[in-house]
Amino acid sequence: IRCVVEAGFKTKNIIFSGYNEFEYAKLAVKLGVVDYILKPVDPKEFLTAMKRVIDELDKKREDMANEKKINGFINEYALYAMVNGRKPEGISDLSFCDEYHAILLVEFTHDFFGKEVVDFDKEVLLDILRTKAESQAFDDCIYLNLNQQQGIIFLKGKDKLFRLDDSIEFAVKLHEVILKKYGHKCYVAVSDYVESHEQIPDTMDYLDELMENRFYHSDVYVFSSKKSKETPELVQIDDDTLMKQIKQDMKMKDISGLREHFKRLSNKYHSQSYFSHIYVKFIFSNLLKEFYNNIPNASEEQFNKEIEKLYTCDDIDTIVGIIAGHIDELEKRFNQNPQMAHREIETVKQYIFDHYGEEIGVDFLADMVYLTPSYLSAIFKKETGQNLSKFIKQYRMEQAKDMLENTNKKIVNISIETGYPNVSYFCQSFREYFGISPQKFRERGGSDE
């Protein structure tokens, strides 16, 4: 028994002995023996002792499971706060966060979470971790739900070595499992190495930027700093289509889209040498004309000078540089007139306030104000300092909190009224956001403790 105790095994020990020496009993007590039963053993005494030990073990196992569950809730709450740029209140030890060195942002084009799946851990992630390749690379993961279209996965490696390829492989497998299990495609942005929990907010901003690529490469499902071998090259698009996209970018004031489409146009003429110089200059001069048409009070004299300068260029890099300079100028002009952007953001916010109980997606809101989703997300964050999807969830959670505090509505009704048709998903989201379940929040009288 001494060897077992010193080895650290968590056992309950009973001695059945024919020796009734006091020293034996004294030593048994010192070693934490549950009972010392003398032979011959009374069956009733035997049954009572065994039942007591089994009950104690069951209670201890239950307590440990509850403690693990509570710690899991606390860890999720702490990570969720950091993901949203907040300091987790009442939690001083955040060392557990430093064990997770990779973060994955998972996104759908529709409300996948809350409709298709609630227990993402058991239904999806465990299937991946159990497979041979991923189980060798990763020891554990924590999943957090951001909203009905986005989720986050924190990956913990089996050793301290970080391999971006392992994270990318996990992301590819994740896409495959979801496609096979639910018939839906998802997009995954993969972070670089995350050294400590202090880097989580900046890493989330980086993942948001990576995820914006899905608006331009809808046939690519995993995005990272490392270009995957499976990533297809940009499809060659005819000039007319690209010019229409560029005109649309200007109309929508989508600078990121404008730069992307101009890059495609430039790459096309960089890679093809059979176009004549005059034809290339004609194409880019037409593009330059579009820029001047979108610059308020643009000087015709200056435009003619720029055209003359373009036609005297000796190489395509100089031509591309001229157009790129005008994109920068166009961006400055757009930023000098923030009233329009402010009006569009206010329209979006008011729609969220009036329709938070309905299904709301970034794509829908962007169409409503005639902007691209990536540009709306960018100006919304610039205007409010907050991600659009997070803003929607925050408003819904605050409305749910207010209803729990000030009404007698059933939790299932509050769930539906705040845009969550699945009450289990609503409870999970509420607990992640506030660190407590809706039921316990109401029982405590609305206390945030």
Side-chain angles (χ1 to χ4, degrees):
I1 292 173
R2 182 187 293 113
C3 290
V4 169
V5 171
E6 291 176 352
F9 293 105
K10 305 299 181 182
T11 61
K12 296 285 186 180
N13 303 300
I14 302 175
I15 293 178
F16 298 93
S17 175
Y19 297 91
N20 63 354
E21 279 80 354
F22 175 72
E23 289 299 321
Y24 287 166
K26 181 180 177 182
L27 182 56
V29 171
K30 186 177 180 181
L31 293 172
V33 172
V34 175
D35 213 336
Y36 193 104
I37 298 176
L38 292 173
K39 296 178 180 179
V41 177
D42 180 356
K44 290 184 180 180
E45 187 179 11
F46 173 86
L47 180 63
T48 301
M50 294 301 290
K51 188 176 184 304
R52 180 157 62 94
V53 169
I54 291 172
D55 289 345
E56 288 178 2
L57 287 172
D58 287 343
K59 179 65 166 58
K60 186 174 182 181
R61 191 177 294 111
E62 183 182 348
D63 290 345
M64 289 175 65
N66 288 335
E67 183 180 359
K68 184 178 180 180
K69 189 175 182 180
I70 291 170
N71 287 337
F73 290 160
I74 293 172
N75 293 350
E76 288 178 1
Y77 167 71
L79 285 170
Y80 192 87
M82 287 184 284
V83 161
N84 287 278
R86 305 196 313 264
K87 182 179 179 181
E89 297 293 335
I91 302 176
S92 57
D93 185 11
L94 296 173
S95 59
F96 79 94
C97 301
D98 298 332
E99 298 176 352
Y100 297 88
H101 295 301
I103 304 176
L104 274 57
L105 174 62
V106 185
E107 185 169 297
F108 292 82
T109 57
H110 64 287
D111 285 1
F112 175 80
F113 301 106
K115 284 188 176 180
E116 300 286 353
V117 59
V118 174
D119 200 339
F120 195 72
D121 287 320
K122 293 180 180 178
E123 294 185 26
V124 178
L125 297 182
L126 276 182
D127 287 348
I128 301 175
L129 287 174
R130 283 170 181 162
T131 60
K132 185 176 180 181
E134 281 74 22
S135 62
Q136 289 176 348
F138 298 106
D139 185 48
D140 190 17
C141 67
I142 290 181
Y143 162 73
L144 296 179
N145 179 258
L146 289 182
N147 51 65
Q148 298 191 62
Q149 295 183 1
Q150 292 180 314
I152 304 175
I153 302 170
F154 292 82
L155 291 174
K156 177 182 177 182
K158 282 188 173 296
D159 52 47
K160 294 183 179 180
L161 296 176
F162 174 78
R163 290 171 290 271
L164 181 57
D165 287 343
D166 290 333
S167 300
I168 293 173
E169 185 177 351
F170 188 98
V172 171
K173 184 67 176 177
L174 177 66
H175 174 265
E176 292 174 352
V177 169
I178 291 174
L179 183 60
K180 182 178 179 180
K181 195 176 184 73
Y182 302 101
H184 294 298
K185 297 175 181 178
C186 71
Y187 299 88
V188 188
V190 182
S191 77
D192 291 330
Y193 180 78
V194 181
E195 188 173 352
S196 72
H197 64 272
E198 296 174 350
Q199 296 178 340
I200 290 178
D202 290 338
T203 301
M204 290 307 304
D205 289 339
Y206 172 67
L207 290 174
D208 283 335
E209 292 175 8
L210 278 178
M211 189 59 76
E212 288 181 6
N213 286 303
R214 78 171 180 84
F215 295 110
Y216 307 109
H217 310 293
S218 59
D219 53 348
V220 179
Y221 302 103
V222 177
F223 303 99
S224 71
S225 61
K226 180 178 180 179
K227 185 176 180 181
S228 172
K229 293 181 180 179
E230 290 76 27
T231 302
E233 295 296 325
L234 294 176
V235 178
Q236 292 293 341
I237 306 176
D238 63 89
D239 294 344
D240 186 52
T241 300
L242 277 173
M243 290 297 287
K244 286 180 180 178
Q245 290 175 328
I246 288 172
K247 289 178 183 179
Q248 182 71 5
D249 293 334
M250 292 182 190
K251 180 182 177 182
M252 298 301 182
K253 296 181 173 57
D254 184 357
I255 294 298
S256 60
L258 178 59
R259 293 188 191 280
E260 175 67 22
H261 293 132
F262 174 63
K263 180 182 177 181
R264 293 191 184 193
L265 187 68
S266 303
N267 288 344
K268 174 179 178 178
Y269 289 103
H270 262 296
S271 60
Q272 305 294 343
S273 58
Y274 52 79
F275 293 107
S276 70
H277 293 183
I278 294 298
Y279 178 75
V280 173
K281 290 174 181 178
F282 172 74
I283 293 295
F284 282 89
S285 64
N286 279 337
L287 184 56
L288 190 60
K289 183 179 179 181
E290 290 297 328
F291 280 107
Y292 271 87
N293 288 339
N294 282 273
I295 296 177
N297 304 319
S299 167
E300 186 175 350
E301 181 182 354
Q302 182 63 32
F303 169 68
N304 291 330
K305 287 182 180 180
E306 291 295 324
I307 289 291
E308 184 178 344
K309 180 180 176 182
L310 188 149
Y311 270 95
T312 57
C313 291
D314 295 326
D315 58 80
I316 191 171
D317 287 332
T318 306
I319 295 174
V320 170
I322 291 174
I323 304 298
H326 281 76
I327 293 178
D328 294 337
E329 179 63 26
L330 203 61
E331 184 175 21
K332 290 179 183 177
R333 295 294 184 98
F334 288 165
N335 290 337
Q336 286 173 0
N337 185 21
Q339 290 184 352
M340 181 173 290
H342 177 77
R343 186 164 62 249
E344 289 159 344
I345 296 305
E346 288 304 313
T347 299
V348 168
K349 288 169 67 175
Q350 190 59 52
Y351 185 88
I352 294 170
F353 297 154
D354 295 339
H355 302 272
Y356 64 88
E358 303 170 12
E359 181 173 335
I360 305 176
V362 177
D363 290 12
F364 171 80
L365 294 173
D367 289 341
M368 187 179 68
V369 292
Y370 305 103
L371 297 175
T372 60
S374 59
Y375 185 60
L376 174 60
S377 297
I379 63 173
F380 190 92
K381 188 167 186 179
K382 185 176 181 180
E383 179 87 10
T384 66
Q386 193 172 12
N387 178 285
L388 179 54
S389 297
K390 293 176 184 176
F391 179 86
I392 295 171
K393 180 167 185 175
Q394 177 182 322
Y395 189 77
R396 284 171 164 167
M397 288 291 104
E398 291 298 333
Q399 293 303 306
K401 176 184 174 184
D402 182 67
M403 291 182 195
L404 287 168
E405 287 179 324
N406 301 310
T407 73
N408 294 320
K409 293 179 180 179
K410 295 180 179 180
I411 290 177
V412 63
N413 294 334
I414 293 175
S415 172
I416 294 171
E417 288 183 31
T418 53
Y420 297 95
N422 188 311
V423 67
S424 298
Y425 174 77
F426 165 72
C427 293
Q428 173 190 326
S429 300
F430 190 93
R431 190 191 68 234
E432 288 177 348
Y433 192 86
F434 291 108
I436 187 174
S437 70
Q439 184 63 41
K440 289 187 177 179
F441 181 85
R442 171 169 274 175
E443 289 172 357
R444 294 183 182 182
S447 170
D448 282 340
E449 183 179 355

